[in-house]
Amino acid sequence: MSRTVTGTGATPLSDVGTVRWYRPDESLPETTDAGTPEEERANFEDAKETAREEIEAERERTRDLVGEDEAGVFDAHLQFLADPQIEASVEDGIDDGLAATAAVREAFADPITQFESMDGMMAERADDLRDVRNRLVRILTGSERIDLSALPAGTILLAERLTPSDTAQLDPSRVSGFATVEGGRTSHAAIFARSLGIPAVVGAGAGIEDIQEGTEVVIDGNAGEVIVDPDEAVRADAASGRDVEIHTDAVETTDGVSIEVAANVGTPAEIESAVEHGADGIGLFRTEFLFLNRGSPPSEDEQYEAIAETLSAFPDGRVVVRTLDIGGDKPIPYLDQAPEENPFLGERGIRRSLDSDADLFRTQLRALMRAAASEHGDGLSVMFPLVSTVDELDRALEAVDEVAADLEEADVEWARPEFGVMIETPSAVFMAEELATRVDFFSIGTNDLTQYVMATSRENDRISYLHDPRHPAVLRAIHRIVQVGHEHDCWVGMCGEMAGDPSLLKLLVGLGLDELSMSAITIPDVKAGVAATSQADAATLASDALAATTISDITQLLNQ
Ligand code: PEP
Ligand code: MG
């Protein structure tokens, strides 16, 4: 008999396949026999070198397939691999007569426990440490790597959770879908699944743990369901795949309200995918990717080329470029980034551009203003990330004026693009009136806005019930931004993950957003959804949601 386990749908796709469990921790031997300390030291050095090569290769693959943001996780792995304290502790263990394998296990044990006891992003670091430890143990014990890139076609992968190095290996032509016990919509695994178009359900809980290898299951990424032993009709429906209808034209609601549906991009592959999926334009170009995976910052000309090329991919659309947004969870190894106890509340986004990265910021502004004068430059919009004060915006716009004066004086062709502010902090929500008089648009970054409004890390599954953009507090913040923006003739878009959640589309239309920007794969569904929605009905739903008190009230309204 068929049974269904419910989790969070990560990709709006379904497929059927055969279960294969991935349990990397359990398949590794505890230790090996110890050789002499010299031999064990040499084994450790060799293992580190192999691990470094593997991590670098996975970093590159993730960067190409998913994006620089996600690939950045591997920088943390490289740092742990070269951590002097961990290295010293392994060597001490070896000197005490342990095999390198046992010494590695011992050396990682304390740091893992310490990170586990912390909150938020720090707790996630425990996963990264485990990932590095397991990699070293696997190499040292000569254990076979479970090759996730070579799974038999039609595999449905089940796992407790999938780390960045696991997801980097998945081959969408072989993996029909995956489901994880843990994880939320913004987990690495979910974002990767959307980028690659793999049907996926995350956070399915203990209900999937007793599904046996070889069982046939359907992954329904739309409903967030894992259907075990599906009946013939469900099976056939999922297996038939989806004929995705691509809408290349702009869409409007049934009562004639236009909504721009744009893509979030970081890599050239994502720009291509945005065009293929019928994006009206780019709503978030994450420029960090231009800065990563290299030893020094890109030149003004390199940045100019990348932006001008993106503009030509959307000759009739808008391309919203975000200025450099590093810090927090987005490190750039060659820039000076002092370790911080609270990186998400520290030197990130515009704060760095106005301070330690002021020169980089000006170079980027020069490239942007030159690109605004290029062939399709009239479609360029530029926004600043993580603005929390009006003063920061004024200083950023002063830098724009100064760069414009320099370009003029040097007789370089330039134009002024439209400028906007990302709304990601509660202070920006409260200061929206003053911000709106200074810019042309707002783009709401709900990933960060939710984490700051709810005081909840976007990385910690244990409190993911709070990192929920449907919370009335977040909805009221969005409502305020749309109202204030429109009163001041600013268009208002959204580029956080919330914008691409089809189950929230009607609510977002009702809240009055002018633009929604998301992973390319969700664009066809969202465009179809907009075309089937009445703005008037949606506004009633939004007004009921704004009067609600709890997330369960909102869920009820959405299910009605
Ligand atoms: C956001 O915070 O919602 C956003 C789009 O920015 P990022 O996810 O890159 O921080
Ligand atoms: Mg953000």
Side-chain angles (χ1 to χ4, degrees):
M1 248 247 313
S2 162
R3 94 183 150 92
T4 299
V5 185
T6 309
T8 304
T11 330
L13 300 171
S14 302
D15 207 348
V16 62
T18 309
V19 164
R20 167 95 198 255
W21 265 99
Y22 178 57
R23 294 190 171 100
D25 285 5
E26 288 172 23
S27 54
L28 286 177
E30 244 338 274
T31 186
T32 41
D33 294 337
T36 65
E38 289 70 34
E39 284 166 353
E40 292 303 322
R41 271 174 186 264
N43 288 343
F44 178 50
E45 288 307 316
D46 290 349
K48 266 195 310 189
E49 184 52 27
T50 310
R52 196 176 55 74
E53 283 165 14
E54 282 184 9
I55 296 172
E56 279 169 358
E58 280 159 23
R59 190 193 191 294
E60 194 135 319
R61 182 175 148 82
T62 306
R63 175 182 186 270
D64 293 345
L65 287 175
V66 190
E68 191 53 56
D69 273 7
E70 287 303 301
V73 176
F74 292 104
D75 292 328
H77 289 208
L78 289 170
Q79 272 165 13
F80 285 137
L81 191 65
D83 184 279
Q85 259 177 320
I86 295 179
E87 276 183 353
S89 160
V90 173
E91 282 163 12
D92 285 350
I94 291 175
D95 289 342
D96 289 344
L98 292 180
T101 321
V104 163
R105 284 198 182 275
E106 250 188 48
F108 276 80
D110 277 352
I112 290 176
T113 317
Q114 275 164 19
F115 277 117
E116 272 173 345
S117 65
M118 295 182 197
D119 277 339
M121 197 179 112
M122 290 302 169
E124 285 267 316
R125 290 282 91 103
D127 279 340
D128 293 320
L129 272 169
R130 259 186 240 110
D131 206 342
V132 176
R133 179 202 58 195
N134 290 354
R135 190 189 293 275
L136 284 169
V137 170
R138 170 176 53 74
I139 296 167
L140 282 164
T141 54
S143 304
E144 206 183 319
R145 182 175 204 183
I146 303 171
D147 188 354
L148 294 178
S149 64
L151 294 165
T155 297
I156 299 283
L157 196 67
L158 299 187
E160 189 71 21
R161 60 163 60 220
L162 291 171
T163 65
S165 42
D166 299 331
T167 42
Q169 297 174 58
L170 296 180
D171 176 350
S173 67
R174 292 165 179 270
V175 176
S176 297
F178 70 75
T180 57
V181 176
E182 296 184 22
R185 244 189 90 78
T186 53
S187 63
H188 299 302
I191 292 174
F192 197 97
R194 279 194 288 282
S195 292
L196 286 183
I198 299 177
V201 172
V202 292
I208 61 167
E209 274 170 353
D210 59 356
I211 303 176
Q212 301 297 312
E213 289 264 332
T215 309
E216 185 167 77
V217 302
V218 160
I219 298 289
D220 182 341
N222 250 325
E225 288 176 351
V226 180
I227 304 159
V228 187
D229 294 323
D231 62 36
E232 192 44 42
V234 172
R235 192 191 175 290
D237 195 29
S240 68
R242 261 188 355 151
D243 278 336
V244 190
E245 199 186 329
I246 306 288
H247 308 259
T248 46
D249 293 339
V251 281
E252 50 182 46
T253 59
T254 53
D255 40 0
V257 178
S258 297
I259 300 198
E260 207 173 311
V261 183
N264 292 352
V265 297
T267 62
E270 283 178 317
I271 295 166
E272 211 174 293
S273 170
V275 174
E276 280 166 12
H277 286 89
D280 296 332
I282 301 297
L284 168 62
F285 183 123
R286 292 182 160 107
T287 53
E288 298 80 62
F289 97 95
L290 297 170
F291 284 73
L292 280 150
N293 217 23
R294 51 189 297 148
S296 58
S299 67
E300 179 186 320
D301 283 350
E302 282 176 86
Q303 296 188 59
Y304 167 85
E305 291 297 335
I307 298 155
E309 241 171 71
T310 312
L311 284 161
S312 357
F314 293 94
D316 305 317
R318 186 178 352 232
V319 171
V320 183
V321 177
R322 172 173 79 184
T323 61
L324 189 56
D325 182 21
I326 64 158
D329 61 341
K330 300 170 183 149
I332 295 192
Y334 56 84
L335 295 184
D336 194 21
Q337 277 179 283
E340 291 189 75
E341 201 143 302
N342 249 325
F344 275 110
L345 300 180
E347 294 168 59
R348 28 172 339 208
I350 194 71
R351 299 169 188 183
R352 285 188 62 105
S353 293
L354 295 174
D355 186 10
S356 48
D357 298 338
D359 290 344
L360 288 181
F361 184 50
R362 276 163 197 263
T363 306
Q364 187 166 59
L365 288 176
R366 283 178 66 93
L368 284 163
M369 289 203 264
R370 283 176 50 206
S374 68
E375 191 184 351
H376 300 293
D378 54 352
L380 181 66
S381 307
V382 175
M383 64 184 178
F384 306 116
L386 211 83
V387 168
S388 32
T389 70
V390 175
D391 181 52
E392 282 171 346
L393 175 60
D394 283 342
R395 288 174 56 209
L397 292 171
E398 261 166 44
V400 168
D401 291 339
E402 284 163 18
V403 167
D406 288 350
L407 290 168
E408 188 63 36
E409 202 179 300
D411 215 12
V412 175
E413 222 185 319
W414 69 279
R416 195 183 166 93
E418 62 169 10
F419 283 97
V421 170
M422 276 191 82
I423 304 291
E424 299 182 280
T425 64
S427 56
V429 175
F430 291 121
M431 300 305 290
E433 287 82 356
E434 287 79 359
L435 294 171
T437 57
R438 289 160 165 82
V439 291
D440 307 299
F441 69 97
F442 286 153
S443 181
I444 307 177
T446 46
N447 307 339
D448 277 318
L449 184 63
T450 307
Q451 101 167 323
Y452 296 127
V453 165
M454 303 304 294
T456 312
S457 164
R458 58 195 261 191
E459 310 276 346
N460 186 342
D461 292 340
R462 294 194 297 277
I463 43 172
S464 60
Y465 72 98
L466 283 172
H467 192 275
D468 189 332
R470 295 169 305 167
H471 196 285
V474 182
L475 297 184
R476 289 178 197 185
I478 295 168
H479 174 66
R480 172 165 166 63
I481 290 302
V482 174
Q483 297 302 306
V484 174
H486 287 172
E487 273 160 29
H488 292 83
D489 292 331
C490 287
W491 62 266
V492 183
M494 176 180 284
C495 61
E497 290 296 312
M498 181 185 200
D501 185 339
S503 70
L504 303 180
L505 176 62
K506 188 170 175 188
L507 184 56
L508 298 180
V509 171
L511 286 166
L513 286 145
D514 304 297
E515 179 240 35
L516 299 170
S517 189
M518 61 205 71
S519 313
I521 189 154
T522 46
I523 287 175
D525 281 339
V526 169
K527 279 196 156 182
V530 169
T533 301
S534 132
Q535 155 74 32
D537 288 354
T540 308
L541 170 70
S543 113
D544 290 347
L546 289 167
T549 308
T550 63
I551 287 188
S552 39
D553 296 343
I554 305 273
T555 319
Q556 248 177 17
L557 281 169
L558 292 174
N559 288 341
Q560 264 165 25

